Amino acid sequence: MRPHIICHMGTSIDGRLHPSRFTAVAAGISASVLRGHYERIHDGFDADGWIIGRKTMSEMAKGTERHIANALRVPRETHVARRHGRKLAVGIDPSGRVHYGKDNVGGDHAVAVLGEHVSDVYLAELREDGVSYIFAGPKGDDLPRAMEQLGSVFGVKKMLLEGGGGINGAFLKHRLIDEFSTLIHPAVDGVAGTQSIVDYHGPDDDRPGAGQALRLTHCETLEGGMVWLRHAVERAPG
């Protein structure tokens, strides 16, 4: 069984994701207090780990590519390295482009979600680094399969999805999001075309949230004027 997945995101009031682009905080409001709300609530969920996309994982992992000579041909099956009871840092990386250089990201055990077409050299690099990996089908886009493996192989019950808009949109399309946790900063980005909470790239008539509905379960104003919303994702009526 796949884990319960909470999409936990911070945003401006216009739904954008990059704080460096937000308007300045108002007089008398602490920027550090606003920044701290996200991690405090993240920790409060006591999840078994977190999930992000390739670009963000590359920025966080900071590893470099290595060439491993005479890499063995290995079957495309789940590889479980030494977790040592740590939470999981899961990177959705279909083409195998993230380089870790170690077995963790921020102290949490690294797990790569890959497509079956990645090279044996790349898999050898992951094993040498102590990184676990699972496969999401030939192209790396079978997210339901990957999440089932997270549950069955790693025994996780709850995960936080903290990806960019593209990853969040793909999870929503596959009906893998059980809940949204949204922290709304008292700020605006205002530029058209910048990334939002959900950015699904598909035909206009192929809405990722079709057949799903949101029910508000929590609304709280936090110190500094940030608003925390929680919505359960349900099957849409009819």
Side-chain angles (χ1 to χ4, degrees), residues 113-116 134-146 149:
V113 176
L114 309 169
E116 294 172 0
I134 60 179
F135 292 97
K139 297 180 181 179
D141 57 358
D142 190 346
L143 294 175
R145 174 183 170 185
Q149 291 180 75

Side-chain angles (χ1 to χ4, degrees), residues 8-11 25 29-45 160 162 181-186 220-229:
H8 179 52
M9 301 296 294
T11 176
V25 297
I29 294 177
S30 168
S32 62
V33 167
L34 292 178
R35 289 193 299 268
H37 288 317
Y38 184 89
E39 290 301 329
R40 176 178 59 81
I41 292 172
H42 169 111
D43 293 342
F45 280 120
L160 299 180
E162 301 175 309
S181 166
T182 311
L183 288 166
I184 303 175
H185 289 250
E220 180 181 354
T221 301
L222 307 175
E223 182 181 353
M226 181 177 284
V227 177
W228 180 28
L229 303 176

Side-chain angles (χ1 to χ4, degrees), residues 134-161:
I134 60 179
F135 292 97
K139 297 180 181 179
D141 57 358
D142 190 346
L143 294 175
R145 174 183 170 185
M147 294 304 103
E148 288 287 345
Q149 291 180 75
L150 275 183
S152 62
V153 176
F154 292 92
V156 300
K157 303 298 183 183
K158 183 194 301 181
M159 295 291 290
L160 299 180
L161 173 63

Side-chain angles (χ1 to χ4, degrees), residues 12-129:
S12 59
I13 66 170
D14 51 342
R16 310 306 184 185
L17 300 184
H18 299 292
S20 63
R21 303 172 58 91
F22 292 177
T23 49
V25 297
I29 294 177
S30 168
S32 62
V33 167
L34 292 178
R35 289 193 299 268
H37 288 317
Y38 184 89
E39 290 301 329
R40 176 178 59 81
I41 292 172
H42 169 111
D43 293 342
F45 280 120
D46 195 26
D48 298 300
W50 41 277
I51 305 167
I52 57 177
R54 175 189 62 80
K55 290 183 179 179
T56 306
M57 185 59 87
S58 291
E59 294 170 359
M60 296 181 69
K62 297 183 171 68
T64 56
E65 183 176 4
R66 303 191 310 279
H67 177 71
I68 298 177
N70 303 316
L72 297 176
R73 174 70 182 174
V74 295
R76 273 30 182 182
E77 57 188 28
T78 299
H79 169 73
V80 181
R82 295 182 178 179
R83 180 180 176 184
H84 297 301
R86 293 170 291 180
K87 294 181 183 292
L88 302 183
V90 178
I92 308 298
D93 183 22
S95 298
R97 296 169 62 184
V98 178
H99 301 283
Y100 295 86
K102 55 186 180 300
D103 72 346
N104 71 91
V105 178
D108 297 328
H109 180 58
V111 180
V113 176
L114 309 169
E116 294 172 0
H117 61 287
V118 298
S119 70
D120 292 304
V121 170
Y122 181 70
L123 295 180
E125 178 184 309
L126 294 183
R127 293 194 303 275
E128 191 172 277
D129 288 342

